[in-house]
Amino acid sequence: MMRNFYSENQLRIQKLNGSERIAKQLEDTRLMIEFNDDVAQIVNSSLFFFIATSSGDRNLECSYKGGNEGFVRVMSDNELAFANYDGNGMYKTLGNIDENPEVALLFIQFNGDKRRIRINGRARISTDKEITQHFPKAESVIIVEAEFIFPNCPRHIHTMRFEENSIYSPTEGYTPPEPYWKSKPDLAPYVKKR
């Protein structure tokens, strides 16, 4: 059974501020449970997004995820997947997902028709070769089953210009250099060797 889009407290504050009618209209006309072509294009062309996770004891985390175009992509009507690359070894996002699969993703398009897309759903971690083979150099792949997909007002999105992909973004046939921080004397002895 699908849960309500708005919580009781959100509905209460909407009523206090006289916005319940527009909030209901936005839910009725903008909320999706499946990806349409427009949203899929934004996801598939994204070079980054933000993900919020929470452990079972409500320890909240928000993380930036980035890569080359295709590192995140829509896989079916209501699923997307993204590559999990070598990182700092803390595994805060994955640890939270393993404990509490509820996630919230935020995609922002800073140029052209500025857009914000929010996706709430349930995530799972896959190391299955059938899946990871589609994401070169990924340690694992996170699959998110979308429960709510909704656009968010873009009016406060700043205009930004993309300059270049990170040299650390893995691609087929390219091995990124090790980041400088891994060679710092206080960290180097503890870094897992590739």
Side-chain angles (χ1 to χ4, degrees):
M1 180 174 122
M2 189 158 93
R3 62 189 162 150
N4 293 327
F5 181 57
Y6 296 123
S7 71
E8 289 301 317
N9 278 340
Q10 291 165 347
L11 292 168
R12 180 180 59 78
I13 293 172
Q14 289 168 13
K15 187 171 184 173
L16 282 173
N17 288 284
S19 68
E20 62 265 65
R21 289 183 63 217
I22 187 61
K24 178 68 172 136
Q25 180 67 7
L26 288 167
E27 178 184 11
D28 291 346
T29 62
R30 302 299 191 273
L31 179 63
M32 296 174 270
I33 58 172
E34 294 183 345
F35 294 102
N36 64 22
D37 291 342
D38 183 48
V39 172
Q41 186 278 325
I42 291 168
V43 170
N44 293 339
S45 65
S46 290
L47 300 175
F48 72 94
F49 65 92
F50 301 93
I51 182 169
T53 61
S54 172
S55 64
D57 60 1
R58 297 190 166 289
N59 184 12
L60 299 173
E61 294 291 334
C62 184
S63 184
Y64 165 93
K65 299 296 178 186
N68 292 319
E69 190 171 314
F71 93 101
V72 57
R73 64 183 80 135
V74 170
M75 304 299 281
S76 70
D77 288 343
N78 72 332
E79 281 189 338
L80 66 77
F82 65 90
N84 176 58
Y85 298 124
D86 170 59
N88 58 21
M90 292 192 295
Y91 292 100
K92 292 179 87 56
T93 300
L94 269 63
N96 280 354
I97 288 171
D98 192 51
E99 188 175 355
N100 175 9
E102 304 235 0
V103 297
L105 284 64
L106 174 62
F107 290 83
I108 304 174
Q109 184 174 294
F110 286 101
N111 50 21
D113 295 331
K114 296 175 185 163
R115 304 286 302 278
R116 275 194 295 190
I117 304 296
R118 294 180 185 226
I119 300 167
N120 291 4
R122 298 179 63 80
R124 66 185 186 278
I125 304 163
S126 177
T127 55
D128 184 333
K129 295 286 185 213
E130 291 293 315
I131 295 169
T132 59
Q133 71 178 345
H134 301 290
F135 297 86
K137 313 264 183 176
E139 287 185 346
S140 59
V141 172
I142 312 311
I143 301 164
V144 177
E145 182 179 354
E147 186 174 17
F148 299 127
I149 304 164
F150 52 104
N152 201 200
C153 177
R155 104 178 104 172
H156 296 292
I157 296 175
H158 304 292
T159 299
M160 296 188 184
R161 186 179 71 240
F162 175 76
E163 292 193 16
E164 63 185 7
N165 284 1
S166 168
I167 63 169
Y168 301 106
S169 294
T171 57
E172 191 69 49
Y174 170 71
T175 302
E178 285 287 357
Y180 168 73
W181 71 265
K182 288 188 176 186
S183 65
K184 290 184 175 182
D186 64 323
L187 299 175
Y190 304 98
V191 173
K192 180 178 87 173
K193 303 300 178 205
R194 280 198 221 170

